[in-house]
Amino acid sequence: MDMLKKFFPYSFGAKDVTALVVKIIVYIVVGAIAGVLIGILANIPLVGIIIGLVGGLIDLYVLIGIVLAVLDYCKVIQ
């Protein structure tokens, strides 16, 4: 659990629904901004492959962060 809190510090600590929704919106906005930047940079031929992989990792981080925020709010994980 400590390792999860090191990698996803923003996902933990939502006390009410408003805080949970704000955390989820922040994750979505960060993912969208990263997606736009990756979309712009992906047009470079050789760098596009690496940027695509980085984009996949960012999307995975956002998804895991949202899932952890919901699980922490529901007290499934402590």
Side-chain angles (χ1 to χ4, degrees), residues 27-70:
Y27 270 119
I28 290 172
V29 168
V30 167
I33 291 171
V36 168
L37 291 175
I38 288 169
I40 292 170
L41 293 175
N43 293 329
I44 303 170
L46 185 59
V47 179
I49 297 169
I50 297 169
I51 295 294
L53 292 173
V54 171
L57 290 175
I58 291 173
D59 289 341
L60 185 63
Y61 182 85
V62 167
L63 177 66
I64 292 172
I66 291 172
V67 169
L68 286 176
V70 172

Side-chain angles (χ1 to χ4, degrees), residues 5 8-16 19-20 23 68-69 72-73 75:
K5 287 184 180 181
F8 301 95
Y10 191 68
S11 295
F12 296 94
K15 301 295 181 198
D16 57 355
L20 177 65
K23 288 179 184 287
L68 286 176
D72 181 57
Y73 178 75
K75 304 296 184 214

